[in-house]
Amino acid sequence: MVEESGNNAATFEAKEAYRPIAGFFLSSAVWFVIFASAGFILASWMIAPDLFLYKNIPWLVFSRVRPVHTNGMIFGFVGSALIGALYYYVPHLVRAPLHSPLIARITLWMWNIAVAAGSTTLLFGLTQGREYAEYIWPIDVLVLIAFAMTFYNVFMTVAARKEKTLYVSVWYVFATLIFIFWIYFFGNAVWNPETGAIRGLADGVLAWFYGHGVVGLFLTPLAVAVSYYIIPIVSRGPLFSHTISLVGFWSILIFYPHIGGHHLLQTPIPTWLKVVSVTGSVGMLLPVLAVLVNQWLTMQGRLASIHASVGGKWVFAGLVWYLIVCLQGPFQALPIIQRVTHLTNWVIGHSHIAVLGFSGFIGLGAIYFLIPRITGRPIYSRKLADIQYWMLLIGLGGFWFVLTMAGLIQGNSWLNGETVYRTLPELHPYFIFRLMFAMLILVGSFIGLYNIGMSLLTARAPAPEEDT
Ligand code: HEM
Ligand code: HEM
């Protein structure tokens, strides 16, 4: 009898702690559909800018929808998945219950209100006009509070830990939450609510310290943390090396924060800053390879069991995208390469394989891996998850290929002094192919929402804590 009531209490506690995780996962799936639709509008605009829709409805203008799409994807889709996941694996890794499920629930609401209100105000034309920092001041405050509450909750959970070793995923979560709070605060110049900017050229440097930090010190470390958690579990073996994982951890913190200047190589920022940015970009190979080599040695000979796990498969693909992104990144940071690629669709291709391929795939992997653990039963349909996987993989692969081609045409035309009106028709077929590949991603997002929604909303009470 006592044991039974103990079990009930554990189940209740687990249920409370898992509710915000389910909320983050469902939000991620909903945002994915909404912001992929926004991306679809942008891509169709590039094929038919004269369509009456895009001329007469102000909130469908390209310049308003673009930041809705980019911020929404980063914070709404990928951000929600990765934050939701950390509320699961941090307590498990430190062997302590989540400090406050209530604070986590408030954080979830605040986060979603920020994304919804940020997107709506952007559609009304209220913007701070700096890439990925477009949300206006009140939204920035909400985002900052959400980061601070997440940090507090994680900190208090870790403070009550029973596990002595702090596994590397926990290190990454701490670093992310500390860095992103300050990067977001300074990058949005929150003390200047009118503009969200500082003055002159220095603002360009600040804006790219921020833009680069959002992808590199928010999405990247949280995605890496998830992979460090999931890969050893699905490989059914320990991590190859804790020491290498720490080399990767410290080196990303050393290189990443100050290389945002590689977005500004063709602007009059100081030369020393460009040199630091380019050398640091090449240096990024160290943390990236440390992560990948470590995880590949962990997986060695166990690929079959990774692919048998629906979540493991997404995480694995995300790591392959990470390799491609981070070989391409240092390459395109070289001034001689950027002479051709900068400000072309080549970079848009890079952004998509990075944010969707690497961090988005790992975010979806976390969702599919953790849903059975928080609901106590398998996901609604493994088949649908696999269909979504292939649609996204083929869609994104094609999307990246055609944009890379289009980017090379643009860059070379530009270098050769070709006029825009002669180049644009050449790009047209590529934009049509991009839209076709994007259709796979869009339909995949709907399939994901259906599958994740059915898995969560029809769930039984969770089983007491269990690590597999
Ligand atoms: C239906 C699928 C999608 C379509 C059609 C699409 C389309 C687009 C378009 C047309 C742009 C603007 C490009 C430009 O200004 O030239 C863009 C930008 C962007 N999209 Fe998407 N997108 C899709 C999915 C995604 C996903 C799933 C993510 C991330 C998870 C994402 C992240 C981004 C980012 C970060 C940018 C900014 C790129 C940059 O400035 O370099 N997109 N997208
Ligand atoms: C070794 C690591 C990486 C390096 C050295 C690198 C380098 C670069 C460079 C040089 C650019 C600017 C290209 C140009 O404007 O001409 C760029 C753009 C971008 N990168 Fe990476 N990258 C790396 C990894 C990543 C990762 C992991 C992500 C996402 C999780 C990411 C997301 C982006 C995005 C979204 C842009 C477009 C920014 C814009 O709107 O212009 N990158 N990257």
Side-chain angles (χ1 to χ4, degrees):
M1 187 72 184
V2 174
E3 201 176 287
E4 196 178 297
S5 67
N7 266 347
N8 284 344
T11 308
F12 176 74
E13 213 173 83
K15 196 175 176 186
E16 282 302 292
Y18 291 161
R19 221 188 266 178
I21 303 176
F24 270 111
F25 288 172
L26 191 59
S27 316
S28 168
V30 171
W31 291 132
F32 189 16
V33 165
I34 293 176
F35 298 121
S37 308
F40 204 76
I41 292 176
L42 294 173
S44 57
W45 189 95
M46 283 176 149
I47 293 171
D50 289 333
L51 202 72
F52 72 97
L53 271 181
Y54 303 135
K55 282 191 160 167
N56 300 324
I57 305 178
W59 46 269
L60 281 186
V61 168
F62 187 90
S63 54
R64 293 194 192 180
V65 179
R66 191 187 197 278
V68 168
H69 170 67
T70 55
N71 286 278
M73 283 301 183
I74 291 173
F75 297 105
F77 162 45
V78 187
S80 300
L82 295 178
I83 292 177
L86 74 84
Y87 281 112
Y88 181 89
Y89 64 78
V90 170
H92 279 74
L93 287 175
V94 301
R95 288 200 290 126
L98 180 66
H99 172 68
S100 169
L102 176 66
I103 295 182
R105 283 226 306 270
I106 299 172
T107 310
L108 165 69
W109 280 103
M110 205 165 262
W111 187 254
N112 278 330
I113 291 171
V115 174
S119 307
T120 313
T121 45
L122 282 173
L123 288 178
F124 280 104
L126 295 170
T127 175
Q128 291 191 329
R130 288 148 91 251
E131 203 167 12
Y132 313 139
E134 286 97 343
Y135 287 165
I136 52 173
W137 185 78
I139 316 289
D140 292 340
V141 174
L142 281 181
V143 173
L144 283 171
I145 296 175
F147 282 137
M149 289 199 304
T150 310
F151 176 77
Y152 172 77
N153 221 348
V154 166
F155 182 83
M156 296 305 284
T157 306
V158 175
R161 73 187 199 267
K162 293 192 198 81
E163 172 61 54
K164 279 212 182 103
T165 312
L166 269 191
Y167 292 105
V168 69
S169 300
V170 183
W171 289 66
Y172 274 108
V173 170
F174 264 116
T176 305
L177 293 173
I178 294 170
F179 267 87
I180 192 58
F181 182 89
W182 293 112
I183 286 173
Y184 199 94
F185 178 83
F186 286 113
N188 281 276
V190 179
W191 62 95
N192 277 339
E194 299 264 299
T195 58
I198 56 172
R199 285 176 182 210
L201 188 61
D203 189 61
V205 177
L206 182 66
W208 278 112
F209 155 81
Y210 165 78
H212 179 80
V214 163
V215 289
L217 291 163
F218 173 51
L219 299 184
T220 301
L222 285 188
V224 168
V226 166
S227 67
Y228 268 123
Y229 179 68
I230 293 183
I231 289 295
I233 297 178
V234 292
S235 307
R236 299 177 199 286
L239 181 67
F240 176 74
S241 162
H242 184 61
T243 313
I244 298 182
S245 72
L246 292 186
V247 171
F249 173 80
W250 287 110
S251 53
I252 198 173
L253 293 190
I254 290 168
F255 287 118
Y256 228 125
H258 55 260
I259 60 174
H262 63 208
H263 296 262
L264 298 165
L265 295 183
Q266 293 169 32
T267 65
I269 61 166
T271 306
W272 66 263
L273 189 53
K274 295 184 186 176
V275 173
V276 168
S277 304
V278 174
T279 44
S281 301
V282 177
M284 271 301 296
L285 288 171
L286 175 64
V288 170
L289 290 178
V291 169
L292 292 176
V293 168
N294 205 3
Q295 305 220 13
W296 273 319
L297 290 173
T298 307
M299 295 182 231
Q300 212 174 23
R302 295 168 171 155
L303 275 187
S305 67
I306 288 170
H307 279 75
S309 151
V310 60
K313 190 171 164 174
W314 286 90
V315 175
F316 176 79
L319 289 174
V320 175
W321 282 120
Y322 190 43
L323 175 69
I324 298 172
V325 167
C326 295
L327 290 177
Q328 187 187 39
F331 179 68
Q332 70 189 15
L334 302 174
I336 191 157
I337 304 299
Q338 269 204 21
R339 283 184 68 214
V340 181
T341 58
H342 189 54
L343 296 181
T344 71
N345 277 286
W346 167 291
V347 181
I348 311 295
H350 172 77
S351 314
H352 284 83
I353 59 169
V355 181
L356 171 58
F358 159 53
S359 55
F361 266 59
I362 292 186
L364 283 164
I367 293 179
Y368 286 124
F369 180 80
L370 293 178
I371 280 180
R373 287 161 172 78
I374 62 174
T375 60
R377 65 176 199 177
I379 55 164
Y380 173 71
S381 165
R382 159 96 203 213
K383 199 169 181 190
L384 284 181
D386 284 345
I387 292 175
Q388 187 197 13
Y389 172 85
W390 284 108
M391 288 182 98
L392 260 61
L393 204 58
I394 296 169
L396 181 60
F399 191 112
W400 176 49
F401 179 75
V402 293
L403 285 187
T404 303
M405 293 299 135
L408 290 175
I409 293 175
Q410 278 176 296
N412 280 304
S413 302
W414 207 340
L415 271 185
N416 294 335
E418 197 57 272
T419 49
V420 172
Y421 75 88
R422 282 166 59 114
T423 311
L424 275 180
E426 277 186 59
L427 299 178
H428 199 69
Y430 292 89
F431 287 159
I432 292 177
F433 275 114
R434 187 251 300 265
L435 197 70
M436 284 160 55
F437 284 116
M439 183 61 104
L440 292 175
I441 302 176
L442 182 64
V443 175
S445 71
F446 276 97
I447 293 176
L449 174 60
Y450 177 70
N451 202 6
I452 292 166
M454 290 302 282
S455 306
L456 290 171
L457 299 176
T458 57
R460 287 195 314 256
E465 304 294 293
E466 195 180 294
D467 258 352
T468 49

